[in-house]
Amino acid sequence: MFEQTEFFHQLSQISPLLWVAFIPAFLAIYFLPSIIASFCNRRHLVKIFLANIPAGFSLLAWMALIVWAFTGKQKKPAEQTS
């Protein structure tokens, strides 16, 4: 069986360049609902972002946030900041 010490040993063998590429890619995918809500100009962007923080660990909740980000109400022109 795969032991925890072996896991940490293999984790330490990953090159720093791979970590530099992996971390931004992971964060972009993790916060994808918030990014989509931002680009789609959604009214509940802050709520989507705050729900995205714990919901990113659950695939079902993360997918529900993706749906909310695409289908939520857009900001009214008066609510938009220039």
Side-chain angles (χ1 to χ4, degrees):
M1 179 129 189
F2 200 66
E3 294 183 20
Q4 187 175 8
T5 56
E6 184 179 339
F7 172 74
F8 286 120
H9 174 70
Q10 292 208 0
L11 198 61
S12 69
Q13 299 299 319
I14 297 175
S15 73
L17 185 61
L18 187 60
W19 280 111
V20 168
F22 172 76
I23 291 174
F26 173 78
L27 290 174
I29 292 170
Y30 189 88
F31 287 106
L32 189 61
S34 300
I35 294 168
I36 291 170
S38 176
F39 280 113
C40 292
N41 202 20
R42 296 298 175 218
R43 181 183 299 174
H44 299 288
L45 172 63
V46 175
K47 292 179 184 176
I48 292 172
F49 175 75
L50 291 175
N52 193 181
I53 295 169
F57 294 111
S58 166
L59 183 61
L60 185 62
W62 184 84
M63 290 181 354
L65 285 174
I66 292 277
V67 170
W68 187 15
F70 275 118
T71 62
K73 295 181 181 179
Q74 287 189 334
K75 289 182 182 178
K76 295 177 184 173
E79 294 177 352
Q80 295 176 359
T81 58
S82 298

Coordinates of all heavy atoms in Angstrom, one line a residue:
M1 N 0.8 -1.2 0.0 CA 0.0 0.0 0.0 C 0.9 1.2 0.0 O 2.0 1.2 0.5 CB -0.9 0.0 1.2 CG -1.8 1.1 1.3 SD -3.5 0.6 1.6 CE -4.3 2.1 1.4
F2 N 0.3 2.3 -0.5 CA 1.1 3.6 -0.6 C 1.1 4.2 0.8 O 0.1 4.6 1.3 CB 0.3 4.5 -1.6 CG 1.2 5.5 -2.2 CD1 2.3 5.2 -3.0 CD2 0.9 6.9 -2.0 CE1 3.0 6.2 -3.6 CE2 1.7 7.9 -2.5 CZ 2.7 7.5 -3.3
E3 N 2.3 4.4 1.3 CA 2.4 5.0 2.6 C 2.6 6.5 2.6 O 2.9 7.0 1.6 CB 3.7 4.4 3.3 CG 3.5 2.9 3.6 CD 4.8 2.4 4.3 OE1 5.5 3.2 5.0 OE2 5.0 1.2 4.3
Q4 N 2.2 7.1 3.7 CA 2.3 8.6 3.8 C 3.7 9.1 3.6 O 3.9 10.1 2.9 CB 1.7 9.0 5.1 CG 1.5 10.5 5.2 CD 0.8 10.9 6.4 OE1 0.5 10.1 7.3 NE2 0.5 12.2 6.5
T5 N 4.7 8.4 4.2 CA 6.0 8.9 4.0 C 6.5 8.8 2.6 O 7.3 9.6 2.1 CB 7.0 8.1 4.9 OG1 6.9 6.7 4.6 CG2 6.7 8.3 6.4
E6 N 6.1 7.8 1.9 CA 6.4 7.6 0.5 C 5.8 8.8 -0.4 O 6.4 9.3 -1.3 CB 6.0 6.3 -0.1 CG 6.4 6.0 -1.5 CD 6.0 4.6 -2.0 OE1 5.7 3.8 -1.1 OE2 5.9 4.5 -3.2
F7 N 4.5 9.1 0.0 CA 3.9 10.2 -0.7 C 4.6 11.5 -0.5 O 4.8 12.2 -1.5 CB 2.4 10.3 -0.1 CG 1.7 11.6 -0.6 CD1 1.2 11.6 -1.9 CD2 1.5 12.7 0.2 CE1 0.6 12.7 -2.4 CE2 0.9 13.8 -0.2 CZ 0.4 13.8 -1.5
F8 N 5.0 11.8 0.7 CA 5.8 13.0 0.9 C 7.1 13.0 0.3 O 7.6 14.0 -0.2 CB 5.9 13.3 2.4 CG 4.6 13.8 3.1 CD1 4.0 13.1 4.1 CD2 4.0 14.9 2.6 CE1 2.8 13.5 4.7 CE2 2.8 15.4 3.2 CZ 2.2 14.7 4.2
H9 N 7.8 11.9 0.2 CA 9.0 11.7 -0.5 C 8.9 12.0 -2.0 O 9.6 12.8 -2.6 CB 9.6 10.3 -0.3 CG 10.9 10.1 -1.1 ND1 12.1 10.7 -0.8 CD2 11.1 9.4 -2.2 CE1 13.0 10.4 -1.7 NE2 12.4 9.5 -2.5
Q10 N 7.8 11.5 -2.6 CA 7.6 11.7 -4.0 C 7.2 13.2 -4.2 O 7.5 13.8 -5.3 CB 6.5 10.8 -4.5 CG 7.0 9.4 -4.6 CD 6.4 8.5 -5.6 OE1 5.6 9.0 -6.4 NE2 6.8 7.3 -5.7
L11 N 6.4 13.7 -3.3 CA 6.0 15.1 -3.4 C 7.3 16.1 -3.4 O 7.3 17.1 -4.1 CB 5.1 15.5 -2.3 CG 4.2 16.7 -2.4 CD1 3.3 16.6 -3.6 CD2 3.4 16.9 -1.2
S12 N 8.2 15.7 -2.6 CA 9.5 16.5 -2.5 C 10.3 16.4 -3.7 O 11.2 17.3 -3.9 CB 10.3 16.2 -1.2 OG 10.8 14.9 -1.4
Q13 N 10.1 15.4 -4.5 CA 10.9 15.2 -5.8 C 10.4 16.0 -6.9 O 11.0 16.1 -8.0 CB 10.9 13.7 -6.1 CG 11.5 12.8 -5.1 CD 12.9 13.1 -4.8 OE1 13.7 13.4 -5.7 NE2 13.3 13.1 -3.5
I14 N 9.2 16.7 -6.8 CA 8.7 17.5 -7.9 C 9.5 18.8 -8.0 O 9.9 19.4 -7.1 CB 7.2 17.8 -7.6 CG1 6.4 16.5 -7.6 CG2 6.7 18.8 -8.7 CD1 4.9 16.8 -7.2
S15 N 9.8 19.1 -9.3 CA 10.7 20.3 -9.5 C 9.9 21.6 -9.2 O 8.7 21.7 -9.3 CB 11.1 20.3 -11.0 OG 10.0 20.7 -11.8
P16 N 10.7 22.6 -8.8 CA 10.0 23.9 -8.4 C 9.3 24.5 -9.6 O 8.3 25.2 -9.5 CB 11.2 24.7 -8.0 CG 12.3 23.8 -7.5 CD 12.1 22.6 -8.4
L17 N 9.8 24.3 -10.8 CA 9.2 24.8 -12.0 C 7.8 24.2 -12.2 O 6.9 25.0 -12.6 CB 10.1 24.5 -13.3 CG 9.6 25.2 -14.6 CD1 9.6 26.7 -14.5 CD2 10.5 24.7 -15.7
L18 N 7.6 23.0 -11.9 CA 6.3 22.3 -12.0 C 5.4 22.9 -11.0 O 4.2 23.1 -11.2 CB 6.5 20.8 -11.8 CG 5.2 20.0 -12.0 CD1 4.7 20.2 -13.5 CD2 5.4 18.6 -11.8
W19 N 5.9 23.2 -9.8 CA 5.1 23.9 -8.7 C 4.6 25.3 -9.2 O 3.5 25.6 -9.0 CB 5.8 24.0 -7.4 CG 5.8 22.7 -6.6 CD1 6.9 21.9 -6.4 CD2 4.7 22.1 -6.0 NE1 6.5 20.8 -5.6 CE2 5.2 20.9 -5.4 CE3 3.4 22.4 -5.9 CZ2 4.3 20.0 -4.7 CZ3 2.5 21.5 -5.2 CH2 3.0 20.4 -4.6
V20 N 5.5 26.0 -9.8 CA 5.2 27.3 -10.3 C 4.1 27.3 -11.4 O 3.2 28.2 -11.4 CB 6.5 28.1 -10.8 CG1 6.1 29.3 -11.6 CG2 7.4 28.3 -9.7
A21 N 4.1 26.2 -12.1 CA 3.0 26.1 -13.2 C 1.7 25.5 -12.6 O 0.6 25.9 -13.0 CB 3.5 25.2 -14.3
F22 N 1.9 24.6 -11.6 CA 0.7 23.9 -11.0 C -0.1 24.8 -10.2 O -1.4 24.8 -10.2 CB 1.2 22.7 -10.2 CG 0.1 22.1 -9.4 CD1 -0.9 21.3 -10.1 CD2 -0.1 22.3 -8.1 CE1 -1.9 20.7 -9.4 CE2 -1.1 21.7 -7.3 CZ -2.0 20.9 -8.0
I23 N 0.5 25.6 -9.3 CA -0.3 26.4 -8.3 C -1.2 27.4 -9.0 O -2.4 27.5 -8.7 CB 0.6 27.1 -7.3 CG1 1.2 26.0 -6.4 CG2 -0.1 28.1 -6.5 CD1 2.3 26.4 -5.5
P24 N -0.8 28.2 -10.0 CA -1.8 29.1 -10.6 C -2.8 28.4 -11.4 O -4.0 28.8 -11.4 CB -0.9 30.0 -11.6 CG 0.5 29.9 -11.1 CD 0.6 28.5 -10.4
A25 N -2.5 27.3 -12.0 CA -3.5 26.5 -12.8 C -4.5 25.9 -11.8 O -5.7 26.0 -12.1 CB -2.8 25.4 -13.5
F26 N -4.1 25.4 -10.6 CA -5.0 24.9 -9.6 C -5.9 26.0 -9.1 O -7.2 25.8 -9.0 CB -4.2 24.3 -8.5 CG -5.1 23.9 -7.3 CD1 -5.8 22.7 -7.4 CD2 -5.2 24.7 -6.2 CE1 -6.6 22.4 -6.3 CE2 -6.0 24.4 -5.1 CZ -6.7 23.2 -5.2
L27 N -5.4 27.2 -8.8 CA -6.2 28.3 -8.3 C -7.2 28.8 -9.4 O -8.3 29.1 -9.0 CB -5.3 29.4 -7.8 CG -4.5 29.1 -6.6 CD1 -3.6 30.3 -6.2 CD2 -5.5 28.9 -5.4
A28 N -6.8 28.8 -10.6 CA -7.7 29.2 -11.7 C -8.9 28.2 -11.8 O -10.0 28.7 -12.0 CB -7.0 29.3 -13.0
I29 N -8.6 27.0 -11.7 CA -9.7 26.0 -11.8 C -10.6 26.0 -10.6 O -11.8 25.9 -10.6 CB -9.1 24.6 -12.1 CG1 -8.5 24.5 -13.5 CG2 -10.2 23.5 -11.9 CD1 -7.7 23.3 -13.7
Y30 N -9.9 26.2 -9.4 CA -10.7 26.2 -8.1 C -11.6 27.4 -8.1 O -12.8 27.2 -7.7 CB -9.7 26.3 -7.0 CG -10.3 26.1 -5.6 CD1 -10.4 24.9 -5.1 CD2 -10.7 27.2 -4.9 CE1 -10.9 24.7 -3.8 CE2 -11.2 27.1 -3.6 CZ -11.3 25.8 -3.1 OH -11.9 25.6 -1.8
F31 N -11.2 28.5 -8.6 CA -12.0 29.7 -8.5 C -12.7 30.0 -9.9 O -13.1 31.1 -10.1 CB -11.2 31.0 -8.1 CG -10.8 30.9 -6.6 CD1 -9.6 30.6 -6.2 CD2 -11.8 31.2 -5.7 CE1 -9.3 30.6 -4.8 CE2 -11.5 31.2 -4.3 CZ -10.2 30.9 -3.9
L32 N -12.8 29.0 -10.7 CA -13.5 29.2 -12.0 C -14.9 29.8 -11.9 O -15.2 30.6 -12.7 CB -13.5 27.9 -12.8 CG -13.9 27.9 -14.2 CD1 -13.0 28.9 -15.0 CD2 -13.9 26.5 -14.8
P33 N -15.7 29.3 -10.9 CA -17.1 29.9 -10.8 C -17.0 31.5 -10.6 O -17.7 32.2 -11.2 CB -17.7 29.2 -9.7 CG -17.0 27.9 -9.6 CD -15.6 28.2 -10.0
S34 N -16.1 31.9 -9.8 CA -15.9 33.3 -9.5 C -15.4 34.1 -10.7 O -15.8 35.2 -11.0 CB -14.9 33.5 -8.3 OG -15.4 32.9 -7.2
I35 N -14.5 33.4 -11.4 CA -14.0 34.1 -12.7 C -15.1 34.2 -13.7 O -15.2 35.3 -14.3 CB -12.8 33.3 -13.2 CG1 -11.6 33.3 -12.2 CG2 -12.3 33.8 -14.6 CD1 -10.5 32.3 -12.5
I36 N -15.9 33.2 -13.9 CA -17.0 33.2 -14.8 C -18.0 34.3 -14.4 O -18.4 35.1 -15.3 CB -17.6 31.8 -14.9 CG1 -16.7 30.9 -15.6 CG2 -19.0 31.9 -15.7 CD1 -17.2 29.4 -15.6
A37 N -18.3 34.3 -13.1 CA -19.3 35.3 -12.6 C -18.7 36.7 -12.9 O -19.5 37.7 -13.2 CB -19.6 35.1 -11.2
S38 N -17.4 36.9 -12.7 CA -16.9 38.2 -13.0 C -17.0 38.6 -14.4 O -17.3 39.8 -14.8 CB -15.4 38.2 -12.5 OG -14.8 39.4 -12.8
F39 N -16.6 37.7 -15.3 CA -16.7 38.0 -16.8 C -18.1 38.2 -17.3 O -18.4 38.9 -18.2 CB -16.0 36.9 -17.6 CG -14.5 37.1 -17.6 CD1 -13.7 36.2 -17.0 CD2 -13.9 38.2 -18.2 CE1 -12.3 36.3 -17.0 CE2 -12.5 38.4 -18.2 CZ -11.7 37.4 -17.6
C40 N -19.1 37.5 -16.7 CA -20.5 37.6 -17.1 C -21.2 38.7 -16.4 O -22.4 38.9 -16.6 CB -21.2 36.2 -16.8 SG -20.6 34.9 -17.9
N41 N -20.5 39.4 -15.5 CA -21.0 40.6 -14.9 C -22.2 40.3 -14.0 O -23.3 40.9 -14.1 CB -21.4 41.7 -15.9 CG -21.4 43.1 -15.3 OD1 -20.9 43.3 -14.3 ND2 -22.1 44.0 -16.0
R42 N -22.1 39.3 -13.1 CA -23.2 38.8 -12.3 C -23.4 39.7 -11.1 O -22.4 40.2 -10.5 CB -23.0 37.4 -11.9 CG -23.0 36.4 -13.0 CD -24.3 36.4 -13.7 NE -24.2 35.6 -14.9 CZ -24.8 35.9 -16.1 NH1 -25.5 37.0 -16.2 NH2 -24.7 35.1 -17.1
R43 N -24.6 39.9 -10.7 CA -25.0 40.7 -9.5 C -24.5 40.1 -8.2 O -24.1 40.8 -7.3 CB -26.5 40.9 -9.5 CG -27.0 41.7 -8.3 CD -28.4 41.8 -8.2 NE -29.0 42.4 -9.4 CZ -30.3 42.5 -9.7 NH1 -31.1 42.0 -8.9 NH2 -30.7 43.1 -10.8
H44 N -24.5 38.8 -8.1 CA -24.1 38.1 -6.9 C -22.6 37.6 -6.9 O -22.3 36.6 -6.3 CB -25.0 37.0 -6.6 CG -26.4 37.4 -6.4 ND1 -26.9 38.1 -5.3 CD2 -27.5 37.3 -7.2 CE1 -28.2 38.3 -5.5 NE2 -28.6 37.9 -6.6
L45 N -21.7 38.4 -7.5 CA -20.3 38.0 -7.6 C -19.7 37.7 -6.3 O -19.0 36.7 -6.1 CB -19.5 39.0 -8.4 CG -18.0 38.8 -8.4 CD1 -17.7 37.5 -9.1 CD2 -17.4 40.0 -9.1
V46 N -20.0 38.6 -5.3 CA -19.4 38.4 -4.0 C -19.9 37.2 -3.3 O -19.1 36.4 -2.7 CB -19.6 39.7 -3.1 CG1 -19.1 39.5 -1.7 CG2 -19.0 40.9 -3.7
K47 N -21.2 36.9 -3.4 CA -21.7 35.7 -2.8 C -21.2 34.4 -3.5 O -20.9 33.5 -2.8 CB -23.3 35.7 -2.9 CG -23.9 36.8 -2.1 CD -25.4 36.7 -2.3 CE -26.1 37.9 -1.5 NZ -27.5 37.9 -1.7
I48 N -21.0 34.5 -4.8 CA -20.4 33.4 -5.5 C -19.0 33.1 -5.1 O -18.6 32.0 -4.8 CB -20.5 33.6 -7.0 CG1 -22.0 33.5 -7.5 CG2 -19.7 32.5 -7.8 CD1 -22.2 33.9 -8.9
F49 N -18.3 34.2 -4.9 CA -16.9 34.1 -4.5 C -16.8 33.5 -3.1 O -16.0 32.6 -2.8 CB -16.2 35.5 -4.5 CG -14.8 35.4 -4.0 CD1 -13.7 34.9 -4.7 CD2 -14.5 35.9 -2.7 CE1 -12.4 34.8 -4.2 CE2 -13.2 35.9 -2.2 CZ -12.2 35.3 -3.0
L50 N -17.6 34.1 -2.2 CA -17.6 33.6 -0.8 C -18.0 32.1 -0.7 O -17.5 31.4 0.1 CB -18.4 34.5 0.1 CG -17.9 35.9 0.4 CD1 -18.8 36.7 1.2 CD2 -16.5 35.8 1.0
A51 N -19.0 31.7 -1.5 CA -19.4 30.3 -1.5 C -18.4 29.4 -2.2 O -18.3 28.2 -1.9 CB -20.8 30.2 -2.2
N52 N -17.6 30.0 -3.1 CA -16.6 29.2 -3.8 C -15.4 28.8 -2.9 O -14.8 27.7 -3.1 CB -16.1 30.1 -4.9 CG -15.2 29.3 -6.0 OD1 -14.8 29.9 -6.9 ND2 -15.1 28.0 -5.8
I53 N -15.2 29.5 -1.9 CA -14.0 29.2 -1.0 C -14.2 27.8 -0.3 O -13.4 26.9 -0.5 CB -13.8 30.3 0.1 CG1 -13.3 31.6 -0.7 CG2 -12.7 29.9 1.1 CD1 -13.3 32.8 0.2
P54 N -15.3 27.5 0.4 CA -15.5 26.2 0.9 C -16.0 25.2 -0.1 O -15.8 24.0 0.0 CB -16.4 26.4 2.1 CG -17.3 27.5 1.7 CD -16.3 28.4 0.9
A55 N -16.8 25.7 -1.1 CA -17.4 24.7 -2.0 C -16.5 24.1 -3.0 O -16.8 23.2 -3.7 CB -18.6 25.5 -2.8
G56 N -15.3 24.7 -3.2 CA -14.3 24.2 -4.1 C -13.9 22.8 -3.8 O -13.4 22.0 -4.6
F57 N -14.1 22.3 -2.5 CA -13.7 21.0 -2.1 C -14.7 20.0 -2.5 O -14.5 18.8 -2.4 CB -13.4 21.0 -0.6 CG -12.2 21.8 -0.2 CD1 -12.4 22.9 0.6 CD2 -11.0 21.4 -0.5 CE1 -11.3 23.7 0.9 CE2 -9.9 22.1 -0.2 CZ -10.0 23.3 0.6
S58 N -15.9 20.4 -2.8 CA -17.0 19.5 -3.2 C -17.3 19.7 -4.7 O -17.7 20.8 -5.1 CB -18.3 19.8 -2.3 OG -19.4 19.2 -2.9
L59 N -17.2 18.6 -5.4 CA -17.4 18.8 -6.9 C -18.8 19.1 -7.2 O -19.1 19.9 -8.1 CB -17.0 17.4 -7.6 CG -17.1 17.4 -9.1 CD1 -16.2 18.5 -9.7 CD2 -16.9 16.0 -9.6
L60 N -19.8 18.6 -6.4 CA -21.2 18.9 -6.7 C -21.5 20.4 -6.4 O -22.1 21.1 -7.2 CB -22.1 18.0 -5.8 CG -23.6 18.2 -6.0 CD1 -23.9 17.8 -7.5 CD2 -24.3 17.3 -5.1
A61 N -21.0 20.9 -5.3 CA -21.2 22.3 -5.0 C -20.5 23.2 -6.0 O -21.0 24.3 -6.4 CB -20.7 22.6 -3.5
W62 N -19.3 22.8 -6.4 CA -18.5 23.6 -7.3 C -19.2 23.7 -8.7 O -19.3 24.7 -9.3 CB -17.1 22.9 -7.5 CG -16.2 23.7 -8.4 CD1 -15.4 24.7 -8.1 CD2 -15.9 23.4 -9.8 NE1 -14.6 25.1 -9.2 CE2 -15.0 24.3 -10.2 CE3 -16.4 22.5 -10.7 CZ2 -14.5 24.3 -11.5 CZ3 -16.0 22.5 -12.0 CH2 -15.0 23.4 -12.4
M63 N -19.8 22.6 -9.1 CA -20.6 22.6 -10.4 C -21.9 23.4 -10.2 O -22.3 24.1 -11.2 CB -20.9 21.1 -10.8 CG -19.7 20.4 -11.2 SD -19.8 18.7 -11.8 CE -21.5 18.2 -11.5
A64 N -22.5 23.4 -9.0 CA -23.7 24.3 -8.8 C -23.3 25.7 -8.9 O -24.0 26.6 -9.4 CB -24.3 23.9 -7.5
L65 N -22.1 26.1 -8.4 CA -21.6 27.5 -8.5 C -21.3 27.9 -10.0 O -21.6 29.0 -10.4 CB -20.4 27.7 -7.7 CG -20.6 27.8 -6.2 CD1 -19.3 27.8 -5.4 CD2 -21.5 29.0 -5.8
I66 N -20.9 26.9 -10.8 CA -20.6 27.2 -12.2 C -22.0 27.5 -12.8 O -22.1 28.5 -13.6 CB -20.0 25.9 -12.9 CG1 -18.6 25.7 -12.4 CG2 -20.1 26.1 -14.4 CD1 -17.5 26.6 -13.1
V67 N -23.0 26.7 -12.5 CA -24.3 27.0 -13.1 C -24.8 28.3 -12.7 O -25.4 29.1 -13.5 CB -25.3 25.9 -12.7 CG1 -26.7 26.2 -13.1 CG2 -24.9 24.5 -13.4
W68 N -24.7 28.7 -11.4 CA -25.1 30.0 -10.9 C -24.4 31.1 -11.5 O -24.9 32.1 -11.8 CB -24.9 30.0 -9.3 CG -25.5 31.2 -8.6 CD1 -26.4 32.1 -9.1 CD2 -25.2 31.6 -7.3 NE1 -26.6 33.1 -8.2 CE2 -25.9 32.8 -7.1 CE3 -24.3 31.1 -6.3 CZ2 -25.8 33.5 -5.8 CZ3 -24.3 31.8 -5.1 CH2 -25.0 32.9 -4.9
A69 N -23.1 30.9 -11.8 CA -22.3 32.0 -12.4 C -22.7 32.2 -13.8 O -22.7 33.4 -14.3 CB -20.8 31.6 -12.4
F70 N -23.2 31.2 -14.5 CA -23.6 31.4 -15.9 C -25.1 31.9 -16.0 O -25.4 32.6 -16.9 CB -23.5 30.0 -16.7 CG -22.2 29.8 -17.3 CD1 -21.5 28.7 -16.9 CD2 -21.7 30.7 -18.3 CE1 -20.2 28.5 -17.5 CE2 -20.4 30.4 -18.8 CZ -19.7 29.3 -18.4
T71 N -25.9 31.5 -15.0 CA -27.3 31.8 -15.1 C -27.8 32.9 -14.2 O -29.0 33.2 -14.2 CB -28.2 30.5 -14.9 OG1 -27.9 30.1 -13.5 CG2 -27.9 29.4 -15.9
G72 N -27.0 33.4 -13.4 CA -27.4 34.5 -12.4 C -27.8 35.8 -13.1 O -27.6 36.0 -14.3
K73 N -28.4 36.6 -12.3 CA -28.8 37.9 -12.9 C -27.6 38.8 -13.1 O -26.7 38.9 -12.3 CB -29.8 38.6 -11.9 CG -31.1 37.9 -11.7 CD -32.0 38.6 -10.8 CE -33.3 37.8 -10.6 NZ -34.2 38.5 -9.6
Q74 N -27.7 39.6 -14.2 CA -26.6 40.5 -14.5 C -26.8 41.8 -13.7 O -27.9 42.2 -13.3 CB -26.5 40.9 -15.9 CG -26.0 39.7 -16.8 CD -25.7 40.2 -18.2 OE1 -26.3 41.1 -18.7 NE2 -24.8 39.5 -18.9
K75 N -25.7 42.6 -13.5 CA -25.8 43.8 -12.8 C -26.5 44.8 -13.7 O -26.4 44.8 -14.9 CB -24.4 44.4 -12.5 CG -23.6 43.7 -11.5 CD -22.3 44.4 -11.2 CE -21.5 43.6 -10.2 NZ -20.2 44.3 -10.1
K76 N -27.3 45.7 -13.0 CA -28.0 46.8 -13.8 C -26.9 47.8 -14.1 O -25.9 48.0 -13.4 CB -29.1 47.4 -12.9 CG -30.2 46.4 -12.6 CD -31.2 47.0 -11.7 CE -32.3 46.0 -11.3 NZ -33.2 46.5 -10.3
P77 N -27.1 48.6 -15.1 CA -26.1 49.6 -15.5 C -25.8 50.6 -14.3 O -24.7 51.1 -14.2 CB -26.8 50.4 -16.7 CG -27.7 49.3 -17.3 CD -28.2 48.5 -16.1
A78 N -26.8 50.9 -13.5 CA -26.5 51.8 -12.4 C -25.6 51.2 -11.3 O -25.0 51.9 -10.6 CB -27.9 52.2 -11.7
E79 N -25.6 49.8 -11.2 CA -24.8 49.1 -10.2 C -23.4 49.0 -10.6 O -22.5 48.7 -9.8 CB -25.4 47.8 -9.9 CG -26.8 47.8 -9.3 CD -27.3 46.3 -9.1 OE1 -26.7 45.4 -9.6 OE2 -28.4 46.2 -8.5
Q80 N -23.1 49.1 -11.9 CA -21.7 48.9 -12.4 C -20.9 50.1 -12.1 O -21.3 51.3 -12.1 CB -21.8 48.7 -13.9 CG -22.5 47.5 -14.3 CD -22.6 47.3 -15.8 OE1 -22.1 48.2 -16.6 NE2 -23.2 46.3 -16.3
T81 N -19.7 49.8 -11.7 CA -18.7 50.9 -11.4 C -17.8 51.1 -12.6 O -17.4 50.1 -13.2 CB -17.9 50.6 -10.2 OG1 -17.2 49.3 -10.4 CG2 -18.8 50.5 -8.9
S82 N -17.5 52.3 -12.9 CA -16.6 52.6 -14.0 C -15.2 52.6 -13.7 O -14.7 52.9 -12.6 CB -16.9 53.9 -14.6 OG -18.3 53.9 -15.1

